[in-house]
């Protein structure tokens, strides 16, 4: 039986032991009779129980979003901008509160959680420029007396389904552009760490976002399927693992929805013999073990070319004992626990199976896990991995860095390009010509040159290739605006004006 922690997680409106839905601007307790546990991964204890939505509860959230839609989409751009600046200010003021919720339920260290909120905030800031982003085109005198212009309009009620590993930032990637474009929103966050989404809903209300514009429903497959099948939901954004991303994309599009579904990853980092080995080792350790490897842009696989392999492995090995694994609330912790006990055991299983498949366990994280009931695992370094081995093929999503040795740059690129995933990749080299060739020929959506986690800034768009993305548009940035709007082209002809009036007041926009 799971022990329930003495100290509940503090929410903005008090204690948050039971985590309920947020519909129409208020907390709505679930009535499905189904719920799930939320843990503090550093303590290994349950801290809350989250309601799981029924089909009817999803419909209730959609009805609330539909009711709010006409006024929200009719709100002037300047007023919506003003609201977004207020949202930006409130999220900024409360970034540490949000980060603490992330650490409490996800386990990532507080500094990393602060970084997550900061990157989400950048997307909100981008959306403060929504009048500029929604500008259309105008062609005067396309024909005699005829003008043609294009406008972008919102889709209606749209939904987001998000993963456990970025409980604040990934929802911000979705709701911020969706709302800025004039849509209303239903969010189904991960059931593993749902508090940040409820907290965000309270902040949006405080900022002045009208009730029903932003709704949060919790749950599992039942809730997701109800979203995918609901006739009034016009678009679905999903971020999560590849099998579910594929399912979400296929089911949503089958039901006539626009869909973007971002999936898993196996991000390769190529280290060439001319690379700055210290820089490459620092980058690999940071990008492989940060957030316990539970990042879709984590570097999980290094491809070491030629004689750099031994030097690189030695440099990584020297850094590993200095990685401080501990409770994310402790200021000196650099890496927290894994999100659940089951996930920790699964990740440890990859390390356990490596030798049997012909790989070499250079550092075994099972031996350095901190004591206690938390879902702990130390960092692991595996060498001699090859395609066909489980530790090479699978997205491990834990603090495990694999190394594959090859002789040439061409072999290294071939490995990256033949991998079924294509989220991020990086190359470490001093040779600009090779780096440029890599950028030109590599099959991945986000490329780093001496940068290990090339998450695009908010005014570009984020997305992978191959099995890392199902759909046509990347998320946030210009493609996010495009995803959450549809174009309309107007062709107009007018008689010459016959009326006019005098008004000496300064023109108002609201
Ligand atoms: P997940 O696929 O298990 O869950 C994601 C969402 O889908 C959750 O809201 C969950 O409740 C729901 N879900 C789970 N099983 C479902 C099912 N059978 N039917 C319908 N819905 C279901 O992913 P996760 O474990 O929460 O997150 C980790 C994964 O997300 C990793 O694979 C990681 O690479 C990926 N991810 C990708 C990106 C990206 O941008 N490409 C970003 C973050 C995370």
């Amino acid at each position: 039986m799971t022990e329930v922690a003495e100290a509940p997680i503090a929410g903005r409106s008090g204690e948050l032991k039971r985590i309920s839905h947020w519909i129409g601007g208020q907390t709505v307790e679930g009535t499905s009779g189904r719920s799930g546990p939320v843990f503090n991964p550093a303590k290994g204890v349950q801290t809350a129980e989250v309601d799981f939505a029924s089909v009817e509860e999803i419909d209730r959230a959609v009805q609330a979003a539909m009711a709010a839609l006409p006024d929200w989409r009719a709100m002037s751009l300047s007023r919506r901008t003003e609201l977004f600046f207020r949202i930006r200010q409130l999220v900024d003021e409360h970034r540490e509160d949000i980060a603490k919720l992330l650490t409490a339920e996800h386990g990532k260290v507080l500094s990393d959680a602060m970084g997550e909120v900061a990157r989400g905030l950048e997307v909100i800031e981008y959306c403060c420029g929504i009048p500029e982003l929604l500008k259309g085109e105008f062609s005067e005198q396309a024909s005699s007396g005829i003008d043609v212009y294009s406008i972008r309009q919102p889709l209606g009620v749209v939904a987001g389904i998000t993963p456990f590993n970025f409980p604040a930032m990934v929802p911000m990637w979705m709701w911020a552009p969706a709302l800025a474009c004039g849509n209303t929103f239903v969010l189904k966050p991960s059931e593993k760490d749902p508090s940040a989404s409820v907290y965000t809903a309270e902040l949006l209300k405080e900022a002045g976002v009208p009730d029903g514009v932003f709704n949060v429903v919790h749950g599992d497959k039942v809730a997701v399927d109800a979203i995918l099948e609901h006739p009034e939901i016009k678009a679905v954004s999903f971020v999560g693992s590849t099998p579910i991303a594929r399912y979400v994309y296929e089911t949503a599009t089958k039901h006539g929805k626009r869909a973007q579904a971002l999936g898993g990853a196996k991000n390769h980092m190529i280290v060439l013999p001319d690379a700055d080995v210290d820089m490459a080792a620092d980058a690999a350790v940071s990008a492989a073990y940060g957030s316990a490897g539970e990042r879709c842009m984590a570097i999980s696989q290094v491809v070491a070319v030629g004689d750099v392999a031994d030097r690189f492995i030695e440099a990584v090995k020297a850094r590993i004992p200095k990685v401080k694994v501990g409770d994310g609330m402790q200021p000196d912790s650099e890496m927290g626990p894994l999100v659940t006990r089951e996930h920790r055991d699964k990740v440890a299983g990859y390390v356990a199976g490596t030798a049997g498949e012909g790989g070499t366990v250079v550092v075994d994280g099972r031996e350095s896990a901190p004591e206690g009931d938390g879902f702990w695992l130390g960092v692991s370094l595996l060498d001699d991995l090859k395609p066909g081995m489980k530790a090479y093929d699978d997205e491990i999503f834990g603090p495990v860095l694999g190394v594959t040795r090859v002789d040439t740059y061409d072999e290294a690129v071939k490995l990256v390009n033949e991998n079924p995933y294509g989220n991020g990749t990086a190359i470490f080299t001093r040779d600009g010509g090779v780096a440029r060739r890599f950028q030109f020929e590599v099959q991945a959506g986000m490329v780093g040159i001496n940068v290990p986690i090339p998450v695009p800034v908010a005014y570009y768009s984020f997305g992978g290739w191959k099995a890392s993305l199902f759909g046509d548009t990347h998320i946030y940035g210009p493609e996010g605006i495009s995803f959450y709007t549809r174009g309309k082209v107007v062709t107009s002809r007018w008689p010459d004006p016959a009326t006019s009036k005098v008004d000496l007041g300064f023109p108002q926009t609201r």
Side-chain angles (χ1 to χ4, degrees):
M1 175 103 177
T2 316
E3 181 195 340
V4 177
E6 294 277 321
I9 305 161
R12 280 170 64 75
S13 24
E15 295 185 347
L16 222 153
K17 263 184 165 171
R18 178 177 181 183
I19 302 167
S20 299
H21 314 302
W22 180 272
I23 299 175
Q26 57 185 343
T27 302
V28 173
E29 291 197 350
T31 55
S32 71
R34 296 171 62 248
S35 60
V38 177
F39 292 92
N40 179 332
K43 305 264 187 277
V45 294
Q46 186 181 351
T47 53
E49 189 76 13
V50 57
D51 293 335
F52 282 4
S54 61
V55 174
E56 293 71 33
E57 284 162 334
I58 296 293
D59 183 56
R60 189 170 161 183
V62 176
Q63 297 302 331
M66 283 171 66
L69 184 64
D71 285 351
W72 181 249
R73 72 157 289 205
M75 183 182 278
S76 72
L77 281 174
S78 53
R79 171 91 180 104
R80 225 186 282 155
T81 303
E82 186 182 29
L83 269 178
F84 259 82
F85 272 100
R86 254 194 258 148
I87 294 169
R88 190 247 160 238
Q89 186 183 349
L90 278 174
V91 172
D92 181 37
E93 282 169 16
H94 294 281
R95 55 168 96 198
E96 193 164 347
D97 301 329
I98 301 171
K100 282 181 179 159
L101 287 176
L102 305 185
T103 298
E105 293 183 356
H106 173 284
K108 62 177 70 178
V109 300
L110 194 60
S111 54
D112 191 37
M114 292 287 283
E116 168 178 349
V117 181
R119 289 305 295 263
L121 198 57
E122 288 175 19
V123 173
I124 296 174
E125 286 166 354
Y126 176 77
C127 293
C128 289
I130 193 64
E132 186 70 23
L133 299 168
L134 285 183
K135 269 185 185 168
E137 296 155 318
F138 194 96
S139 301
E140 188 183 48
Q141 197 73 345
S143 182
S144 185
I146 290 184
D147 301 328
V148 179
Y149 50 97
S150 66
I151 47 185
R152 296 208 70 84
Q153 297 189 331
L155 304 176
V157 178
V158 299
I161 301 160
T162 54
F164 80 82
N165 67 323
F166 285 107
M169 181 184 77
V170 168
M172 287 173 188
W173 289 359
M174 300 175 183
W175 64 254
L179 261 51
C181 291
N183 303 280
T184 54
F185 202 81
V186 176
L187 171 65
K188 206 301 286 172
S190 170
E191 66 279 24
K192 296 191 178 91
D193 41 22
S195 289
S197 295
V198 179
Y199 190 91
T200 301
E202 294 176 26
L203 283 183
L204 294 188
K205 186 177 172 91
E206 194 176 326
V209 173
D211 293 347
V213 169
F214 179 75
N215 307 277
V216 181
V217 284
H218 305 289
D220 55 2
K221 183 170 165 52
V222 173
V224 171
D225 284 345
I227 287 171
L228 301 179
E229 291 167 14
H230 200 294
E232 292 301 336
I233 293 179
K234 303 301 179 201
V236 173
S237 298
F238 172 90
V239 175
S241 60
T242 287
I244 312 296
R246 183 181 281 115
Y247 169 77
V248 164
Y249 181 75
E250 288 174 356
T251 313
T253 50
K254 198 172 91 191
H255 286 84
K257 300 179 199 325
R258 187 177 286 193
Q260 54 178 188
L262 285 73
K266 187 82 184 183
N267 304 313
H268 288 53
M269 167 174 152
I270 296 177
V271 182
L272 294 184
D274 71 342
D276 179 327
V277 171
D278 283 327
M279 182 188 184
D282 285 341
V285 168
S286 311
Y289 306 132
S291 199
E294 292 171 326
R295 290 181 183 140
C296 63
M297 289 293 276
I299 290 294
S300 50
Q301 189 63 40
V302 162
V303 187
V305 179
D307 64 4
V308 81
D310 288 340
R311 286 181 284 137
F312 175 80
I313 294 230
E314 281 312 309
V316 171
K317 242 172 92 179
R319 284 160 174 76
I320 284 178
K322 296 176 198 145
V323 175
K324 179 94 178 65
V325 183
D327 188 325
M329 296 307 288
Q330 299 300 322
D332 60 340
S333 296
E334 293 175 303
M335 188 186 108
L338 280 91
V339 68
T340 59
R341 182 172 283 114
E342 296 70 33
H343 187 55
R344 186 269 315 273
D345 294 346
K346 188 175 167 207
V347 173
Y350 284 103
V351 181
T354 293
E357 290 195 303
T360 307
V361 180
V362 182
V363 178
D364 189 335
R366 294 171 300 168
E367 293 166 1
S368 58
E371 300 284 309
D373 295 330
F375 310 140
W376 298 112
L377 189 63
V379 309
S380 297
L381 178 62
L382 312 178
D383 194 5
D384 302 313
L385 297 190
K386 291 187 175 57
M389 297 178 182
K390 278 183 78 57
Y392 179 90
D393 290 345
D394 293 359
E395 179 188 34
I396 299 175
F397 221 56
V400 178
L401 178 63
V403 179
T404 300
R405 296 168 182 246
V406 296
D407 293 330
T408 63
Y409 162 84
D410 286 335
E411 287 173 81
V413 174
K414 192 163 178 283
L415 277 176
V416 181
N417 287 351
E418 285 179 353
N419 197 271
Y421 297 107
N423 215 38
T425 186
I427 190 164
F428 278 70
T429 179
R430 287 190 171 94
D431 187 329
V434 177
R436 192 173 180 284
R437 192 177 145 196
F438 179 69
Q439 161 214 301
F440 185 75
E441 64 195 6
V442 76
Q443 303 276 320
M446 293 169 283
V447 179
I449 295 172
N450 297 313
V451 172
I453 305 185
V455 175
V457 288
Y459 40 99
Y460 285 78
S461 298
F462 179 109
W465 288 11
K466 300 187 274 184
S468 296
L469 175 78
F470 301 88
D472 302 321
T473 40
H474 290 190
I475 206 162
Y476 72 72
E479 293 196 39
I481 301 299
S482 175
F483 180 77
Y484 288 120
T485 54
R486 53 188 164 173
K488 193 179 262 179
V489 176
V490 182
T491 304
S492 84
R493 174 162 54 195
W494 288 98
D496 279 348
T499 58
S500 71
K501 66 172 181 168
V502 174
D503 180 355
L504 271 60
F506 193 69
Q508 301 290 311
T509 56
R510 283 176 210 168

